[in-house]
Amino acid sequence: MKMTRRVWGIAAVASLHFMACNYTDGECFPREELYETAGAGGGVIVPTGVGVGGYGSVPFEPQSAPPDPDGPVCNIISGGPCDDECQAEYDRASIQCAKIEDAAQRKACQDTAHANYRDCQEKCELEGSNQKCIRKYMKCQQYAPFWCRSGKITVCAQCHDRCRSGDPPSSECVQCGF
Amino acid sequence: MDELCSVLPGTGRLGVGVYNQTSVAFGYAWKDVDVRIGPSLSLYSMPACGAKLCGRVVGLAPGGHAQANVYFAGPVGVSVSANVDWVGGRSLVLPGGFAAMIVAGPVFRWRSM
């Protein structure tokens, strides 16, 4: 009985770790701009990674990305399981890159990881759009007006091809549910 | 149960921050020494900088807390406390990791044990 309570206690404490959540409130900006408008002193938490106090964090893709003309992205926006897998792979690669002592090699490693992340995201987008096209085709073949589904090469099939190639749907395709 | 509220002085751009930690501690006390350890939960809204970005980060961080008080001159002593928070979530300013805080200073007690 005591053992069971102890296990539940440990499980309860361990489950607390999944409660961690945070988000950036308002705008964020590159670290170099921190003191551009700020006065002397201040209470900003600046990670040191070592020593007493401070934050230890893993390198993160969007932080190493080139500057965005619309300003930096401040929060993670999940794009679904495929994107999350890309992110997880990037995190693993980043941790490995951070272990490289030589600055040039480390940067090359980070650039490669970033490029792989972008490729992975593009693949997800492509897969996602292909899946959408397939779903629309299935729906078209089942529920669209008869003329959409008749003929040797059905309008549904033609619209599916247009969808896969990224072309906007024609007026016929719109009527057939694309 | 301990409640610790820290106000972090702000910068012109990011403003003042607040870090509030609630901890439950279990411990043991001797005549001049007491120690305690337990889980904690922190709520924060504070200016922060990550590896590349700065911004105001708002969040909830579970963690662990430990504290030791040593009284060496009657009611006067030294207190050392350490806290580790698991920081993570959607923020890209502090994308994931941990925050550690160690505080040391004088401590007074109203009545000697």
Side-chain angles (χ1 to χ4, degrees):
Chain A
M1 189 66 182
K2 274 184 181 176
M3 189 67 182
T4 312
R5 277 184 190 172
R6 211 170 285 170
V7 169
W8 276 110
I10 292 167
V13 172
S15 66
L16 280 173
H17 300 166
F18 297 105
M19 290 172 63
C21 60
N22 69 8
Y23 70 95
T24 310
D25 186 19
E27 63 162 4
C28 61
F29 47 87
R31 200 167 155 154
E32 300 80 50
E33 295 175 17
L34 176 63
Y35 297 107
E36 278 182 7
T37 54
V44 171
I45 304 295
V46 178
T48 58
V50 291
V52 176
Y55 283 77
S57 62
V58 293
F60 211 74
E61 172 273 325
Q63 295 196 357
S64 60
D68 192 319
D70 298 328
V73 179
C74 301
N75 288 301
I76 296 166
I77 302 159
S78 175
C82 185
D83 268 6
D84 289 349
E85 183 54 42
C86 295
Q87 188 64 63
E89 182 54 41
Y90 179 79
D91 288 348
R92 282 192 286 273
S94 292
I95 290 167
Q96 293 305 316
C97 291
K99 290 175 183 171
I100 298 171
E101 287 183 9
D102 183 75
Q105 285 182 0
R106 188 169 60 248
K107 190 176 181 310
C109 178
Q110 284 167 345
D111 289 347
T112 305
H114 183 218
N116 289 343
Y117 176 69
R118 289 288 178 217
D119 288 347
C120 185
Q121 271 190 323
E122 279 174 18
K123 199 177 144 197
C124 288
E125 278 173 23
L126 189 64
E127 277 177 14
S129 62
N130 283 348
Q131 289 294 323
K132 272 184 198 167
C133 294
I134 289 168
R135 276 199 295 275
K136 282 180 180 173
Y137 173 72
M138 301 289 280
K139 206 174 167 183
C140 181
Q141 286 291 76
Q142 286 177 324
Y143 305 112
F146 180 73
W147 59 267
C148 297
R149 299 175 270 146
S150 59
K152 199 173 178 185
I153 301 171
T154 65
V155 179
C156 290
Q158 291 171 37
C159 295
H160 176 243
D161 288 345
R162 284 183 72 100
C163 179
R164 283 193 63 148
S165 57
D167 293 338
S170 63
S171 58
E172 273 186 328
C173 293
V174 171
Q175 289 176 53
C176 295
F178 275 84
Chain B
M1 190 165 173
D2 289 327
E3 186 75 14
L4 172 73
C5 185
S6 306
V7 177
L8 309 170
T11 64
R13 191 156 185 183
L14 288 171
V16 176
V18 178
Y19 172 90
N20 191 85
Q21 182 196 81
T22 305
S23 59
V24 179
F26 304 92
Y28 195 81
W30 290 272
K31 187 173 176 289
D32 292 323
V33 178
D34 60 81
V35 291
R36 62 186 79 168
I37 190 165
S40 67
L41 195 61
S42 304
L43 271 167
Y44 54 87
S45 169
M46 60 187 184
C49 284
K52 292 278 182 187
L53 295 174
C54 293
R56 170 168 291 275
V57 181
V58 178
L60 179 70
H65 176 80
Q67 185 170 351
N69 298 328
V70 180
Y71 300 94
F72 51 82
V76 181
V78 171
S79 177
V80 179
S81 72
N83 195 84
V84 176
D85 285 339
W86 274 262
V87 179
R90 287 166 49 209
S91 172
L92 292 175
V93 173
L94 293 179
F98 65 91
M101 178 169 68
I102 296 176
V103 178
V107 64
F108 304 94
R109 60 181 171 186
W110 302 118
R111 192 176 58 185
S112 296
M113 290 179 70

